[in-house]
Amino acid sequence: QVMQDEEDADEVGYADDFQPVTDEEKLLGSMPDEQLLLCKKHTDMLKNGTHPNGAIHEWDNLWQLAPLPVCQVEWGGNGAISSMEPKLMNMFFMSPKAFPITTRYPCIYGGWDHASEVVIYLSAWFWRRVKDTSADFAMGGQKVQCKCCRRAHDKKKQAYDMAVTAGADGEVLKTLKEQWKSARFSWRSYNPDFLRLLTKK
């Protein structure tokens, strides 16, 4: 599973600090299909165990450099015209499994108390474009989920569904729906709260 991450506000955990993303901003932050295919190539090799660097916990460097652009020569009426293919971005694989400091991982909502319930989905990679002063790069993050927070989320969803079935009034439904929707349980491995908790460890 490789996809472009378009849920920045929800995934970083600071949804209230984000304004709605405009169409122009989405275009600036998007990645070309060629880049996503390159990311998929690396993640597929990781998944089937054929990556030349081995499993990700064996990597010496989480950076993977993109191939250099290829020079193409075209012959036109005024002679040879050289052009470069669009430059692909370097990739950074933000995987918690690359950190040998721990085999248990914190929950961004429940902290280390939920560590025994946190699961990292090794084959689920999400990609975002990171703007840099010299050159943009692609950052890949794995899906991380807390089973404890998931159970709390499901209970609140069940309470909302029961209220709908019972014909509760609008204000009650609104409150229950807000409680259900705010009960988050998943994030990406490049989430800043997650990285801060790991760094402190």
Side-chain angles (χ1 to χ4, degrees), residues 14 96 99 101-102 104-115 118 144 187 189-201:
Y14 297 109
F99 296 99
I101 55 174
T102 179
R104 299 167 73 242
Y105 302 93
C107 169
I108 66 172
Y109 308 111
W112 286 98
D113 291 341
H114 290 189
V118 172
V144 190
W187 60 95
S189 57
Y190 48 60
N191 180 285
D193 291 331
F194 185 62
L195 296 178
R196 275 192 288 269
L197 287 166
L198 276 176
T199 303
K200 288 180 181 179
K201 180 72 172 181

Side-chain angles (χ1 to χ4, degrees), residues 80-92:
I81 303 172
S82 64
S83 62
M84 302 293 281
E85 290 182 354
K87 184 179 179 182
L88 295 171
M89 293 179 284
N90 295 330
M91 298 160 290
F92 188 78

Side-chain angles (χ1 to χ4, degrees), residues 6-20:
E6 296 178 349
E7 302 181 16
D8 291 346
D10 289 337
E11 295 306 330
V12 256
Y14 297 109
D16 293 340
D17 295 339
F18 281 74
Q19 298 299 319

Side-chain angles (χ1 to χ4, degrees), residues 7-54:
E7 302 181 16
D8 291 346
D10 289 337
E11 295 306 330
V12 256
Y14 297 109
D16 293 340
D17 295 339
F18 281 74
Q19 298 299 319
V21 178
T22 65
D23 291 338
E24 182 180 2
E25 288 170 330
K26 284 184 178 179
L27 182 62
L28 289 172
S30 65
M31 290 188 289
D33 291 340
E34 293 83 357
Q35 181 67 49
L36 289 173
L37 286 173
L38 179 61
C39 295
K40 184 178 188 304
K41 176 183 177 182
H42 279 269
T43 51
D44 283 349
M45 288 190 294
L46 280 172
K47 185 177 180 179
N48 59 35
T50 60
H51 199 284
N53 291 358

